[in-house]
C-alpha cells in the first residue's frame, strides 16, 4: 500500500514515457550533451542535440514533425527544453528515492548509517565521475573544470552564461508557468522576471527587444539601492549636524538673552540721561531767547516814545494856538510846523511792525518720538511680492508690493535672468536691472525667450530675502536697428533705401527734415509701411536729413544714423510753386531749363527793380501770386527793354496762364492774343 501511494503522483510521468525520447533516433533524452533536448524555436518541437546536428544544413533545419523551418546561428543557440529536463530529473529522483525506501525497510541499521553518513559532494552532471566545481545558471547544470571549459567554449552565447562556485549556488526560482524553467531573464516592458520559454513561446514572445538577462537588472538594482543608501547616509550626517547646531543654539539662547536685556537696560539708561541733559540745555536756551525778545521789545518801545511825544506836543500846542488871536496865531505857525516835521521824521524812521512776542524755538518732537519708537533691535524687512509681470512686444513691466516695516525701506532691487539654469534654479545668472524706491519698472529685451524676475528691498538694517521668482515669456521683441544704405536724387525726386530687419510683422517709419523750411524745422514722417525703400518729390531746396526706424506691434527700434541729401535746385527754388505744380509746368514749358532772375520778396516790388533784373532777357516766364491765393503765369518770347510801348511777337509765342485758382484747381491752359499780334507785349 505504501509503495502504491508513493508511486501515485508519478503516474502521469510514466504515461509520458514516449515523450522522453527523441522522435528521430528514439533515444531517451538526458543531460548528456548528445542526448540534450533542444527546442526548435519556430515550431516548439524538441529534438536531441545529436539529431539536430546531423540533419541541419547551413544552420537551418526543417522540422521532421511539422515541416516548419528553424534557422539558428549555432547549435548551442537553440534553447534547452527545461520543462522536459525537469521531468527527467523528477523521474530519476523518484527512482533513487524508491530504492532508498526499500533499503530502509529491510535494515534499520542501514538507515541509521545513512543518516549519520557525511553528505556527498555534488557530482558533475556532464561526466558524472568528477566533483562539480561550478554551477551554470544558464544551463542549470553542475560542471567540473574540464567539462565547464569543454561545454562553454563551443559558442559565444554559452560563454556569456553566469557561473558560480558549486558550493555557493543559490537555488534559482522556477517559472510558475513552465515547470523546471528557471527565471533567468527580465522583461523591461512588463517589469517582471521570466524564463526562456516565456520569452520565446509564452506571454512575452513579442517582447524580444525588451528581454535582458536578470543578472544585469540585479546589478542595476543593487547599484540604485546602494546609491540611495549612500545619499541617505549623507542626509543623516547633515541632519544630525544641523540638529547638533540647533541644540547648541538652544543651550546658548539663555545667556544670549540675558546679554541682550543687559544691553537694552544700559542703552535706555544712556538715552534717559541724554534726554535729561537735553531738557536742561533746551530750557536754558529758551530762557535766553525770551530775554533777547524782551530786550528787543523794550528797545522798540523806546523808539516809539520819541515820535509819540513829539506828536502829542504838536496836538497840545496846536490846540492852544488855535485859541489865540489872529496875529499871535499867524506868528506861531512856524513853530508848530517845525515840531510837526520833527515828529513826522521820527515816526518815519521807526520800524513799521512790532517785533514778534514769540521765542524762535521749535521742538521736533515727532521725529524724536519716532526715533524712540524705532529704537531697538529691528530685523530685516520682509521680502516684497511680485504682483504682476507682463510682456508686450519686447517691453516687460514688473510690478511688486511695497514693504512696510519698523526699519524704513530705502530701495528696491529688481534682478532678471534669461532662461535660468534649472540646476541652479533661482540663482541662475541674475543681473540687477533696477535699484530705486519705485515699485514698478519697465525693461526692454532684445530676444525671444523666458525671462525670470525676482526683487528684494533694503533698509538700514540690511537686505531682505528675495521674492519668489516670476517667469514671463517674451514672444516678440523690439526690432533691430535698421540702416540707410542709399540716398539718390534725380531732378526733384529723392529715393531712400534701408536694410530689412528680420522678424514678424516688421514695418518702417521714414522721417525727413529740411533745414531751409521753417515748417520742417522738426522731423516729419514721410513714409510708414513694410517696404524698405521710398521715393518722393522734394518741393524745397536745401539739405534733406533722413532717419528710419523699424517697429512691430507698437514697439519701435532706435533710429538709424542720419543720411544727408543736399538739393541745390528744386523748381528754381520757388517760394510760390511746389511739387503739385510740376505736371502743369512740364506741359507749359516742355524744356524747362529755368534760371531764377528776380524774386520780388527778395529784390523788391518796384517796377524798376523788375526791369533791372529782367530787361533784355528772352524768353521770360513770370509767376505771381495774389493775396487771395490765385497763381498766374505769363510767358514772353521777346525781351523787355523799358520802352514804354507795345511789342509784336509771333503767333503763340506769348501767352497767359491761370495756374491755380483759390480753390486749389491747377490748370495748364494758355491764353493767347491772336487778334493783335502787334500788341503781344506791353513794355512799360
Amino acid at each position: 500500500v505504501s509503495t502504491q501511494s508513493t508511486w501515485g503522483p508519478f503516474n502521469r510521468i510514466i504515461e509520458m514515457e514516449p515523450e522522453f525520447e527523441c522522435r528521430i533516433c528514439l533515444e531517451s533524452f538526458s543531460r548528456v550533451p548528445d542526448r540534450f533536448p533542444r527546442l526548435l524555436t519556430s515550431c516548439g518541437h524538441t529534438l536531441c542535440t545529436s539529431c539536430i546536428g546531423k540533419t541541419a544544413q547551413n544552420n537551418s533545419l526543417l522540422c521532421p514533425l511539422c515541416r516548419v523551418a528553424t534557422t539558428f546561428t549555432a547549435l548551442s543557440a537553440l534553447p534547452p527544453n527545461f520543462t522536459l529536463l525537469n521531468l527527467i530529473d523528477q523521474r530519476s529522483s523518484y527512482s533513487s528515492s524508491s530504492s532508498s525506501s526499500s533499503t530502509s525497510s529491510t535494515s534499520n541499521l542501514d538507515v541509521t548509517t545513512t543518516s549519520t553518513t557525511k553528505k556527498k559532494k555534488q557530482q558533475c552532471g556532464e561526466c558524472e565521475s568528477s566533483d562539480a566545481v561550478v554551477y551554470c545558471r544558464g544551463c542549470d547544470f553542475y560542471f567540473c573544470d574540464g567539462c565547464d571549459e569543454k561545454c562553454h567554449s563551443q559558442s559565444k552565447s554559452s560563454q556569456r552564461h553566469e557561473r558560480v562556485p558549486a558550493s555557493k549556488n543559490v537555488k534559482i526560482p522556477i517559472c510558475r508557468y513552465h515547470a523546471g524553467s528557471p527565471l533567468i531573464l527580465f522583461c523591461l516592458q512588463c517589469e517582471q522576471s521570466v524564463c526562456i520559454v516565456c520569452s520565446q513561446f509564452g506571454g512575452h514572445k513579442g517582447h524580444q527587444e525588451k528581454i535582458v538577462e536578470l543578472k544585469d537588472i540585479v546589478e542595476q538594482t543593487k547599484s540604485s539601492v546602494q546609491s540611495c543608501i549612500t545619499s541617505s547616509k549623507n542626509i543623516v550626517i547633515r541632519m544630525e549636524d544641523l540638529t547638533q547646531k540647533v541644540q547648541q543654539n538652544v543651550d546658548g539662547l539663555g545667556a544670549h538673552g540675558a546679554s541682550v536685556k543687559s544691553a537694552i537696560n544700559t542703552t535706555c539708561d544712556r538715552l534717559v540721561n541724554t534726554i535729561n541733559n537735553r531738557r536742561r540745555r533746551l530750557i536754558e536756551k529758551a530762557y535766553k531767547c525770551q530775554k533777547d525778545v524782551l530786550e528787543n521789545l523794550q528797545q522798540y518801545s523806546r523808539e516809539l516814545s520819541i515820535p509819540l511825544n513829539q506828536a502829542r506836543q504838536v496836538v497840545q500846542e496846536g490846540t492852544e494856538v488855535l485859541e489865540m488871536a489872529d496875529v499871535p496865531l499867524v506868528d506861531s505857525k512856524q513853530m508848530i510846523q517845525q515840531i510837526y516835521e520833527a515828529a513826522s521824521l521820527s515816526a518815519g524812521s521807526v520800524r513799521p511792525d512790532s517785533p514778534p512776542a514769540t521765542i524762535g524755538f521749535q521742538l521736533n518732537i515727532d521725529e524724536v518720538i519716532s526715533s524712540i519708537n524705532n529704537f531697538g533691535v529691528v530685523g530685516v524687512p520682509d521680502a516684497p511680492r511680485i504682483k504682476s509681470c507682463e510682456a508686450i512686444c519686447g517691453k516687460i513691466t514688473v510690478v511688486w508690493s511695497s514693504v512696510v516695516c519698523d526699519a524704513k525701506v530705502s530701495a528696491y532691487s529688481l534682478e532678471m535672468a534669461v532662461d535660468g539654469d534649472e540646476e541652479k534654479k533661482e540663482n541662475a545668472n541674475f543681473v540687477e536691472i533696477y535699484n530705486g524706491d519705485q515699485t514698478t519698472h519697465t525693461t526692454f529685451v532684445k530676444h525671444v525667450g523666458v525671462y525670470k524676475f525676482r526683487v528684494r528691498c533694503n533698509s538700514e538694517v540690511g537686505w531682505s530675502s528675495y521674492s519668489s521668482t516670476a517667469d514671463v515669456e517674451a514672444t516678440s521683441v523690439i526690432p533691430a536697428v535698421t540702416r540707410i544704405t542709399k540716398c539718390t536724387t534725380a531732378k526733384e525726386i529723392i529715393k531712400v533705401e534701408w536694410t530689412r530687419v528680420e522678424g514678424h510683422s516688421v514695418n518702417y517709419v521714414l522721417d525727413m527734415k529740411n533745414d531751409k523750411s521753417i515748417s520742417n524745422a522738426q522731423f516729419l514722417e514721410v513714409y510708414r509701411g513694410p517696404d524698405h525703400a521710398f521715393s518722393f518729390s522734394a518741393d524745397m531746396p536745401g539739405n534733406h536729413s533722413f532717419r528710419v526706424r523699424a517697429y512691430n506691434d507698437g514697439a519701435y527700434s532706435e533710429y538709424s544714423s542720419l543720411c544727408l541729401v543736399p538739393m541745390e535746385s528744386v523748381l528754381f527754388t520757388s517760394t510760390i510753386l511746389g511739387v503739385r505744380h510740376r505736371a502743369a509746368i512740364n506741359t507749359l514749358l516742355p524744356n524747362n531749363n529755368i534760371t531764377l532772375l528776380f524774386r520780388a520778396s527778395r529784390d523788391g516790388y518796384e517796377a524798376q527793380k523788375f526791369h533791372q533784373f529782367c530787361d533784355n532777357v528772352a524768353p521770360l516766364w513770370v509767376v505771381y501770386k495774389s493775396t487771395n491765393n490765385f497763381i498766374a503765369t505769363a510767358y514772353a518770347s521777346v525781351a523787355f527793354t523799358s520802352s514804354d510801348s507795345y511789342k509784336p511777337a509771333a503767333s503763340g509765342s506769348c501767352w497767359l496762364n491761370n495756374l491755380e485758382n483759390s480753390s486749389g484747381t491747377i490748370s495748364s491752359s494758355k491764353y493767347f492774343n491772336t487778334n493783335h499780334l502787334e500788341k503781344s507785349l506791353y513794355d512799360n
Side-chain angles (χ1 to χ4, degrees):
V1 175
S2 175
T3 302
Q4 188 177 5
S5 63
T6 304
W7 184 261
F10 297 98
N11 288 336
R12 185 167 59 88
I13 298 178
I14 294 174
E15 293 172 357
M16 293 176 58
E17 189 69 28
E19 299 297 330
F20 295 148
E21 297 177 352
C22 176
R23 294 296 183 90
I24 297 178
C25 63
L26 302 180
E27 295 289 338
S28 297
F29 293 119
S30 69
R31 292 186 177 272
V32 177
D34 288 343
R35 304 273 73 82
F36 202 77
R38 295 189 179 275
L39 286 167
L40 301 182
T41 56
S42 296
C43 60
H45 289 119
T46 303
L47 300 176
C48 68
T49 303
S50 176
C51 291
I52 294 174
K54 292 177 181 179
T55 57
Q57 294 181 356
N58 298 325
N59 292 334
S60 179
L61 175 66
L62 196 64
C63 178
L65 304 178
C66 64
R67 314 305 293 174
V68 175
T70 298
T71 303
F72 49 89
T73 56
L75 189 61
S76 57
L78 294 173
N81 190 333
F82 289 104
T83 303
L84 188 57
L85 286 172
N86 184 53
L87 293 174
I88 294 172
D89 291 341
Q90 290 182 17
R91 185 181 65 172
S92 300
S93 174
Y94 171 76
S95 298
S96 60
S97 63
S98 177
S99 301
S100 175
S101 175
S102 300
T103 305
S104 62
S105 65
T106 57
S107 177
N108 290 331
L109 179 62
D110 291 341
V111 172
T112 304
T113 304
T114 302
S115 62
T116 57
T117 302
K118 188 175 181 180
K119 185 178 180 180
K120 293 184 179 180
K121 291 184 178 181
Q122 179 69 44
Q123 296 293 313
C124 173
E126 185 71 23
C127 64
E128 299 182 349
S129 60
S130 302
D131 293 338
V133 177
V134 298
Y135 171 77
C136 177
R137 291 183 173 177
C139 301
D140 190 22
F141 222 60
Y142 286 94
F143 294 97
C144 62
D145 284 335
C147 294
D148 176 46
E149 179 66 24
K150 176 182 177 182
C151 294
H152 288 96
S153 61
Q154 294 180 359
S155 65
K156 292 183 179 180
S157 60
S158 61
Q159 292 176 4
R160 299 177 63 246
H161 289 180
E162 181 183 8
R163 302 190 291 279
V164 298
S167 59
K168 297 183 179 180
N169 176 41
V170 178
K171 183 72 174 176
I172 298 179
I174 302 301
C175 178
R176 63 177 179 174
Y177 301 110
H178 306 97
S181 184
L183 299 174
I184 59 174
L185 302 176
F186 188 84
C187 179
L188 296 176
Q189 181 171 332
C190 302
E191 296 187 352
Q192 67 180 84
S193 301
V194 298
C195 67
I196 292 180
V197 180
C198 287
S199 67
Q200 296 189 359
F201 306 104
H204 304 272
K205 181 178 180 180
H207 305 165
Q208 294 300 323
E209 295 182 356
K210 298 293 184 179
I211 300 295
V212 297
E213 292 190 17
L214 181 63
K215 65 176 183 178
D216 295 335
I217 299 299
V218 170
E219 293 301 323
Q220 294 178 10
T221 305
K222 288 182 178 179
S223 176
S224 177
V225 172
Q226 185 61 46
S227 177
C228 292
I229 293 173
T230 303
S231 299
S232 299
K233 288 181 178 179
N234 294 333
I235 294 175
V236 169
I237 294 174
R238 186 158 56 89
M239 294 300 104
E240 288 179 347
D241 182 59
L242 291 176
T243 302
Q244 183 179 1
K245 290 181 179 179
V246 169
Q247 187 59 44
Q248 292 175 354
N249 292 337
V250 171
D251 296 340
L253 183 60
H256 178 68
S259 175
V260 171
K261 292 177 183 178
S262 176
I264 291 174
N265 290 329
T266 302
T267 305
C268 289
D269 291 341
R270 289 178 57 192
L271 181 61
V272 171
N273 293 333
T274 301
I275 292 176
N276 290 331
N277 292 334
R278 185 60 177 168
R279 177 175 60 182
R280 178 177 54 80
R281 291 195 297 270
L282 289 176
I283 291 175
E284 292 176 353
K285 184 176 181 179
Y287 283 143
K288 183 178 182 303
C289 291
Q290 181 181 0
K291 181 180 178 182
D292 293 341
V293 172
L294 179 60
E295 291 178 355
N296 195 14
L297 291 173
Q298 291 173 347
Q299 176 63 29
Y300 187 66
S301 179
R302 288 192 293 270
E303 294 176 359
L304 294 177
S305 64
I306 296 175
L308 177 62
N309 293 332
Q310 291 175 341
R312 285 175 177 174
Q313 183 181 357
V314 171
V315 172
Q316 181 180 356
E317 294 184 1
T319 303
E320 295 175 355
V321 168
L322 290 176
E323 296 176 356
M324 294 180 180
D326 295 341
V327 175
L329 175 63
V330 174
D331 293 339
S332 301
K333 175 184 177 182
Q334 184 176 4
M335 178 191 67
I336 296 299
Q337 187 68 31
Q338 290 177 349
I339 298 174
Y340 170 72
E341 290 177 356
S344 298
L345 182 63
S346 299
S349 63
V350 175
R351 289 172 290 174
D353 297 324
S354 171
T358 57
I359 300 175
F361 191 82
Q362 293 182 349
L363 295 175
N364 54 344
I365 188 65
D366 293 336
E367 294 184 5
V368 174
I369 292 176
S370 176
S371 298
I372 293 176
N373 289 334
N374 291 331
F375 166 72
V377 180
V378 181
V380 297
D382 295 333
R385 178 179 59 86
I386 295 180
K387 299 167 65 175
S388 65
C389 197
E390 185 178 18
I392 301 177
C393 293
K395 182 174 67 174
I396 300 178
T397 300
V398 184
V399 180
W400 58 90
S401 61
S402 60
V403 176
V404 179
C405 59
D406 292 337
K408 183 179 179 181
V409 173
S410 59
Y412 296 91
S413 174
L414 179 65
E415 297 182 359
M416 180 183 74
V418 182
D419 293 329
D421 187 348
E422 292 299 330
E423 294 182 357
K424 297 181 180 179
K425 292 185 178 178
E426 294 190 356
N427 293 325
N429 305 321
F430 276 95
V431 177
E432 183 179 75
I433 60 173
Y434 172 77
N435 191 307
D437 58 358
Q438 301 298 314
T439 56
T440 180
H441 179 69
T442 299
T443 185
F444 294 88
V445 296
K446 297 182 179 180
H447 304 284
V448 173
V450 177
Y451 290 82
K452 299 175 180 291
F453 294 91
R454 65 184 185 183
V455 65
R456 60 176 178 167
C457 61
N458 186 28
S459 69
E460 59 186 8
V461 178
W463 285 98
S464 72
S465 58
Y466 284 104
S467 67
S468 299
T469 301
D471 297 353
V472 62
E473 182 178 7
T475 56
S476 61
V477 296
I478 298 175
V481 178
T482 184
R483 177 175 56 87
I484 295 178
T485 58
K486 184 185 298 185
C487 287
T488 56
T489 60
K491 291 188 177 182
E492 293 81 31
I493 305 299
I494 301 178
K495 183 177 182 181
V496 184
E497 301 179 40
W498 54 88
T499 57
R500 290 186 182 273
V501 173
E502 297 296 332
H504 176 68
S505 300
V506 176
N507 291 289
Y508 306 92
V509 176
L510 179 65
D511 295 343
M512 183 200 73
K513 180 173 69 173
N514 186 293
D515 61 359
K516 296 293 185 181
S517 174
I518 296 177
S519 62
N520 286 344
Q522 300 297 326
F523 276 100
L524 297 178
E525 181 180 311
V526 295
Y527 172 76
R528 177 183 291 265
D531 298 332
H532 65 106
F534 180 69
S535 299
F536 68 100
S537 298
D539 58 358
M540 289 294 296
N543 294 324
H544 293 69
S545 298
F546 295 93
R547 66 184 184 183
V548 65
R549 60 176 174 170
Y551 72 95
N552 62 350
D553 301 328
Y556 289 82
S557 71
E558 297 179 359
Y559 280 107
S560 66
S561 300
L562 292 179
C563 180
L564 187 65
V565 180
M567 294 293 290
E568 297 179 355
S569 175
V570 178
L571 287 176
F572 56 85
T573 64
S574 173
T575 59
I576 298 176
L577 301 176
V579 175
R580 64 185 184 279
H581 304 115
R582 167 53 68 183
I585 294 172
N586 288 336
T587 302
L588 293 170
L589 305 171
N591 299 319
N592 53 13
N593 185 13
I594 304 172
T595 302
L596 180 65
L597 299 178
F598 169 77
R599 175 178 288 159
S601 60
R602 179 190 67 187
D603 303 319
Y605 290 93
E606 297 83 2
Q608 58 269 27
K609 290 292 185 182
F610 170 80
H611 288 285
Q612 176 184 345
F613 290 97
C614 300
D615 277 1
N616 302 312
V617 177
L620 190 69
W621 188 47
V622 180
V623 181
Y624 67 92
K625 183 177 183 180
S626 66
T627 57
N628 57 354
N629 293 324
F630 277 88
I631 300 177
T633 70
Y635 181 84
S637 61
V638 295
F640 285 92
T641 58
S642 300
S643 62
D644 195 19
S645 62
Y646 286 100
K647 288 188 175 184
S651 177
S653 63
C654 290
W655 44 263
L656 297 176
N657 161 252
N658 183 15
L659 184 62
E660 183 176 355
N661 59 24
S662 59
S663 62
T665 302
I666 298 174
S667 172
S668 60
S669 300
K670 299 177 182 179
Y671 300 95
F672 301 97
N673 181 11
T674 57
N675 296 327
H676 302 282
L677 295 178
E678 70 280 3
K679 294 182 179 181
S680 296
L681 176 67
Y682 181 67
D683 185 7
N684 60 341

